């Protein structure tokens, strides 16, 4: 290399304010970029977690009875029969809750009676089409049969358990470890037991942000609707959902004057709602980070441009004493490289400190160092790109400016 | 500074902008984006973390008692909170209510039911079952009528208060006081209609998400028992006990009620604390309260912190916004410095012709102020746009509940103050140093440097 | 060694064409000391720029050491400037951010030289101009004459065959000017060909040969004996 770094560095040190300012920008941008990307990647991972549910083809109906004439059992029967008769519907089941919705019911559950536990498991009361209505995959045992399904709990029964349950694999692992859970009993906090007849995997419950969103249990019983509403989960063939929704809404809202249809919504609606925070966080982080990198680039570009304009005569002199165009380009790129390197070094420290703070905020593992390396390379590359145009322009300065007074 | 000089400096500044329009635009934009991002983030943060009833911070307390499982502390999302449960059992809450020790006492829960009998189609809606002190305690504004008196609390009178948007929906916004509606097929008489009221966050019930609007219907608390209702909010139970009958449920260890008291002075606070502790000791002798004594009166500010109403994302975003503003400001300082120093020779001539250091400083500061002022104004506009987008996104999240969003759309006053303070700060921060640097150079240096 | 034949150089602006050099021919052989005089705007700087490969020309031919410079690429021209030609400018053109040592080092950096060789060359060049004690000083800490001597050191450090100087004494007082002139003569005696543009007839007279330019053409030239006595008749043609 015809240019060594020392004289460039010493020239730089004599005009360091601008360089220091740009290096500071690079440092902050690196710290933010690396950590923002780290968070975004984790959010994306969270959002891309396998749900095990055929989300795109499911819609949910909520119905609330509100008069004394309302008979939930017959109303539910009629509604479900109607929903199943709709064209394109694959399966429909009543349910006490809606997966991915952010609200639902949970209960404690143990593998032995009388054992104390605080683990909460999200449960769904469904009939024999419950698994199909969600499209979850049975990986062991059997589905509920029509004869398994118990009637809704009576108004004055808040605590009886069921005979048969289907667990998510995560639930089974939590309760039984590596043992085969099929045929085993699970106990509620009153010591009542139910038999595990099947295992599904994967599946997700109501709370996507929970530490264990896949601790899920299905119970072979019609929901009680005791909090005023029952839900129907309806799954259709691909493409048939929207038409079925419309038909369901217009029919059900008129079929029974003693209850009201609160909503008919796609499951996508609930999923999007659950991930809204993550999605908007991701979008916001990326936008601001991009803006910040852009501003930093402009800073680098402006400093390089400024340096080129104020050094026209110097460039001409260098050309006059034999510098090739490539040497001039190289000079400015090396100078820029020195500034970005200084910024990047400071930025690494800043990024690690920020990562540490974030790991406390989010109780997350520390910043992955690959991100840091990637960020360093990226900013360094971007910095060189930003300086390239001014450097090229510098190379077009004719050598004769050395002799002409400008 | 003389007015004429100010005019002259502005003129010089404009000339200087024309000399480098690109650079000038860059600086203005950098400041604008920095300010905009900050305003957006801070406004959202403020909305999510502010104390919406700060003026009652030394009067308003929520009551919590650690009635939880003797073997383990209260948990949320399978993680221990190290606090008493945020809700109370029916037994404990009504004890506080009937003691009547506080100036005002609110015990309440949220349920939902179907409204009919107003001519329109039946409508399911979120309803708060609360004692009548709710309205004066939380300084709730009324458009028509008022809340109900304590005598309507017990035995419960069939009265109801509507939100403004619900009144618009059911009665087309007319004064509906005296009209009736059916809630789950029971008749209630409207006694009051609220004006817009949207405390953010919804401090009195933080389980609903901090951007949720208040309920649309308010009904006396005791109807809950009379109609054998259950909360639609959180009901947390730890004890293995049958919950089948209404009797069993209301006497259970399940926590599900929010309890608030208004205690105007220290003495009343101490009285209330003593009462709770006595009650606790008495109940403990009877076999309840197996955990260490933890009876709390928590004011709103502390409550919002305890319940972690500001989620971590928000705190991170505030950090990000300031980092971004900092980068923008550093960027601007760098550009200004470059610009000023590249014109140092001209400045040198001015100095040689007799301009004082102060005058040179002021001349450059004027230029800076114009740039930063324009940038900040633009930032205010951009920030407002960005906020509209954020609100749009969150409004979509609460489609289930009608109304209320006109309020959220208001660019809140504190937010604007913040923004202006920020803009001024940005101006000073970005401009002072370069202007000072240029003013400080001895005149000879400018001339020699060319 | 350096041979221009009918070289023309035109500056075209929007409206006018200025012939800075008009069918200009000149031959300079190795070891000569040529002074170029002429009124302001007569094309002296243009001639030096063309001779030093800083600028191109329109017509004619120009050979350095027998090589036609017309066909050379920009890089090749840079290399020729770097290895064969040294420049001295009226306004010194030292790089203000570099100290004396680094300034002299500039042309050497564009060559493949070992650190030691560069160091030696810088040392001997600065020795020659009598400034080795000022190596660590910045240009702004030197007087004009000293700065020009640094510029001379920079020009000769690369051991060029030609030294092109454009009014090197124009910014200096007469004492300093004489010192610089003596230095140039000393360098010429060591074998370097020198082309010196100057206003000063007294300095011009000290050259071996005097070329007088008017309107881009040579109007008159005369050969002086080295260190000849002043000849009053030549001052202004
Ligand atoms: N870049 C240029 N553009 C147009 N005209 C030029 C340019 N440079 C020099 N000239 C013109 O060429 C002529 C010769 O200039 P120059 O060689 O600098 O004269 P000298 O050095 O003898 O004073 C002058 O008339 C000058 O105006
Ligand atoms: Mg000239």
């Amino acid at each position: 290399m015809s240019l060594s770094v020392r004289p460039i560095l010493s020239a730089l040190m004599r005009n360091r304010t601008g360089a220091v300012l740009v290096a500071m920008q690079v440092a902050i941008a690196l710290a933010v970029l690396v950590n923002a990307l780290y968070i975004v990647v984790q959010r994306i991972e969270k959002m891309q977690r396998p749900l095990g549910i055929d989300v795109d083809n499911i819609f949910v109906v909520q119905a609330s009875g509100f008069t004394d004439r309302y008979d939930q059992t017959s109303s539910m029967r009629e509604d479900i029969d109607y929903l199943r008769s709709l064209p394109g519907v694959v399966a429909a089941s009543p349910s006490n809750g809606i997966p991915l919705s952010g609200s639902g019911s949970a209960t404690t559950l143990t593998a032995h009676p009388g054992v104390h536990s605080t683990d909460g498991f999200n449960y769904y009361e469904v009939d024999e089409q419950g698994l199909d209505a969600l499209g979850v995959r049975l990986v062991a045992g059997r589905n509920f049969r029509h004869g398994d399904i118990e009637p809704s709990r009576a108004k004055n029964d808040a605590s009886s358990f069921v005979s048969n349950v289907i667990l998510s694999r995560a639930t089974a692992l939590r309760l039984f470890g590596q043992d085969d859970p099929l045929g085993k009993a699970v106990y509620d906090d009153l010591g009542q037991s139910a038999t595990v007849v099947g295992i599904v995997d994967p599946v997700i419950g109501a709370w996507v942000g929970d530490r264990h969103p896949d601790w899920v249990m299905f119970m072979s019983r019609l929901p009680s609707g005791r909090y005023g509403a029952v839900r129907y989960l309806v799954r259709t063939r691909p493409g048939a959902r929207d038409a079925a929704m419309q038909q369901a809404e217009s029919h059900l809202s008129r079929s029974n004057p003693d209850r009201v249809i609160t909503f008919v919504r796609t499951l996508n609606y609930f999923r999007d709602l659950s991930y809204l925070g993550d999605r908007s966080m991701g979008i916001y982080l990326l936008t601001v980070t991009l803006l910040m990198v852009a501003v930093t680039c402009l800073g680098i570009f402006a400093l390089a441009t400024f340096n080129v304009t104020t050094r026209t005569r110097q460039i001409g002199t260098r050309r006059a004493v034999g510098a090739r165009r490539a040497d001039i380009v190289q000079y400015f790129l090396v100078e820029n490289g020195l500034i970005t390197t200084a910024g990047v070094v400071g930025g690494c420290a800043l990024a690690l400190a920020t990562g540490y703070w974030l790991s406390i905020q989010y109780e997350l593992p520390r910043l992955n160092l690959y991100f840091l390396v990637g960020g360093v390379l990226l900013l360094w590359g971007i910095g060189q790109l930003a300086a390239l145009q001014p450097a090229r322009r510098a190379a077009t300065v004719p050598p004769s400016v050395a002799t002409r007074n400008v | 500074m003389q007015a004429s000089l100010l005019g002259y400096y502005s003129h010089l500044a404009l000339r200087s902008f024309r000399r480098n329009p690109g650079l000038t635009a860059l600086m203005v934009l950098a400041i604008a984006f920095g300010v905009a991002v900050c305003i957006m983030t801070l406004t959202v943060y403020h909305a999510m973390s502010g104390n919406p009833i700060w003026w009652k911070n030394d009067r308003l307390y929520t009551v919590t008692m650690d009635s939880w499982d003797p073997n383990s502390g209260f948990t949320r999302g399978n993680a221990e909170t190290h606090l008493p449960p945020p809700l109370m059992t029916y037994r404990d809450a009504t004890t506080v209510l009937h003691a009547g020790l506080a100036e005002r006492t609110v015990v309440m829960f949220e349920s939902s039911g179907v409204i009919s009998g107003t001519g329109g189609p039946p409508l399911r809606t979120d309803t708060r079952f609360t004692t009548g002190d709710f309205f004066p305690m939380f300084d709730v504004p009324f458009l028509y009528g008022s809340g109900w008196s304590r005598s309507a609390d017990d035995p419960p009178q069939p009265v109801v208060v509507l939100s403004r948007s619900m009144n618009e929906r059911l009665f087309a916004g007319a004064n509906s006081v005296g009209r009736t509606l059916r809630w789950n097929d029971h008749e209630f008489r409207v006694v009051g209609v609220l004006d817009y009221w949207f405390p953010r966050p919804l401090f009195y019930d933080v389980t609903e998400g901090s951007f949720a609007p208040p309920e649309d219907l308010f009904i006396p608390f005791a109807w809950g028992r009379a109609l054998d209702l259950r909360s639609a909010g959180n009901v947390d139970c730890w004890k293995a006990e049958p919950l089948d009958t209404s009797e069993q449920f209301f006497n259970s260890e399940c926590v599900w009620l929010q309890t608030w008291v208004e205690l105007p002075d220290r003495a009343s606070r101490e009285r209330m604390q003593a009462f709770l502790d006595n009650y606790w000791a008495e109940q403990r002798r009877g076999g309840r309260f197996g955990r260490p004594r933890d009876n709390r009166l928590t004011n709103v500010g502390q409550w919002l912190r305890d319940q972690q109403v500001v989620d971590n994302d928000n705190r991170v975003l505030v950090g990000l916004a300031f980092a971004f503003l900092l980068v923008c400001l550093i960027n601007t300082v760098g550009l200004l410095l470059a610009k000023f120093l590249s014109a140092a020779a001209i400045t040198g001539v001015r100095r040689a012709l007799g301009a004082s250091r102060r005058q040179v400083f002021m001349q450059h500061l004027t230029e800076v102020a114009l740039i930063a002022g324009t940038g900040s104004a633009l930032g205010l506009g951009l920030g407002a746009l960005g906020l509209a987008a954020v609100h749009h996104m969150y409004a979509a999240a609460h489609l289930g509940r009608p109304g209320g969003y006109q309020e959220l759309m208001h660019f809140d006053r504190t937010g604007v103050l913040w923004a202006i303070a920020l803009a001024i700060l940005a101006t000073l921060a970005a401009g002072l140093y370069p202007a000072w640097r240029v003013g400080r150079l001895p005149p000879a240096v400018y001339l020699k440097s060319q | 060694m350096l041979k221009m034949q009918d070289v023309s150089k035109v500056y075209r602006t929007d409206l006018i064409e200025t012939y800075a050099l008009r069918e200009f021919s000149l031959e300079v052989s190795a070891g000569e000391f040529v002074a170029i005089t002429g009124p302001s705007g007569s094309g002296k700087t243009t001639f030096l720029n063309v001779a030093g490969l800083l600028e191109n020309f329109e017509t004619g031919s120009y050979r350095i050491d027998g090589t036609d410079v017309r066909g050379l690429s920009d890089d090749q021209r840079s290399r020729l400037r770097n290895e064969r030609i040294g420049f001295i400018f009226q306004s010194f053109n030292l790089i203000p951010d570099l100290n004396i040592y680094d300034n002299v080092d500039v042309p050497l950096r564009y060559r493949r030289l070992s650190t030691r060789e560069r160091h030696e060359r810088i040392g001997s060049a600065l020795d020659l101009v009598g400034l080795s004690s000022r190596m660590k000083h910045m240009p702004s800490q030197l007087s004009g004459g000293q700065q020009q001597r640094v510029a001379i050191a920079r020009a000769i450090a690369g051991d060029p065959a030609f030294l092109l100087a454009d009014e090197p004494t124009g910014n200096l007082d007469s004492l300093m000017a004489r010192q610089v002139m003596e230095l140039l003569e000393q360098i010429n005696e060591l074998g370097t060909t020198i082309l010196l543009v100057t206003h000063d007839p007294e300095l011009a007279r000290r050259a071996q040969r005097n070329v007088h330019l008017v309107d881009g053409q040579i109007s008159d030239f005369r050969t002086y004996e080295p260190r000849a006595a002043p000849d009053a008749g030549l001052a202004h043609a």
Side-chain angles (χ1 to χ4, degrees), chain A residues 43-92:
Chain A
R43 296 301 163 97
I44 290 175
E45 272 169 12
K46 176 179 166 191
M47 290 195 277
Q48 284 180 341
R49 191 170 39 198
L51 303 178
I53 293 174
D54 185 14
V55 182
D56 291 335
N57 296 310
I58 294 173
F59 69 90
V60 185
V61 180
Q62 176 169 300
S64 323
F66 63 99
T67 69
D68 292 338
R69 293 180 301 277
Y70 174 66
D71 174 41
Q72 182 166 291
T73 311
S74 65
S75 176
M76 206 184 317
R77 186 74 266 146
E78 276 166 27
D79 292 345
I80 281 292
D81 285 345
Y82 172 75
L83 288 169
R84 284 175 184 166
S85 76
L86 282 175
V89 168
V90 176

Side-chain angles (χ1 to χ4, degrees), chain A residues 403-405, chain C residues 39-46 48 90 166-167 197 199:
Chain A
T403 55
R404 305 276 180 205
N405 287 313
Chain C
S40 185
S42 58
K44 304 183 296 292
T45 298
T46 308
L48 268 197
Q90 179 176 358
D166 192 356
E167 308 203 27
V197 166
H199 261 109

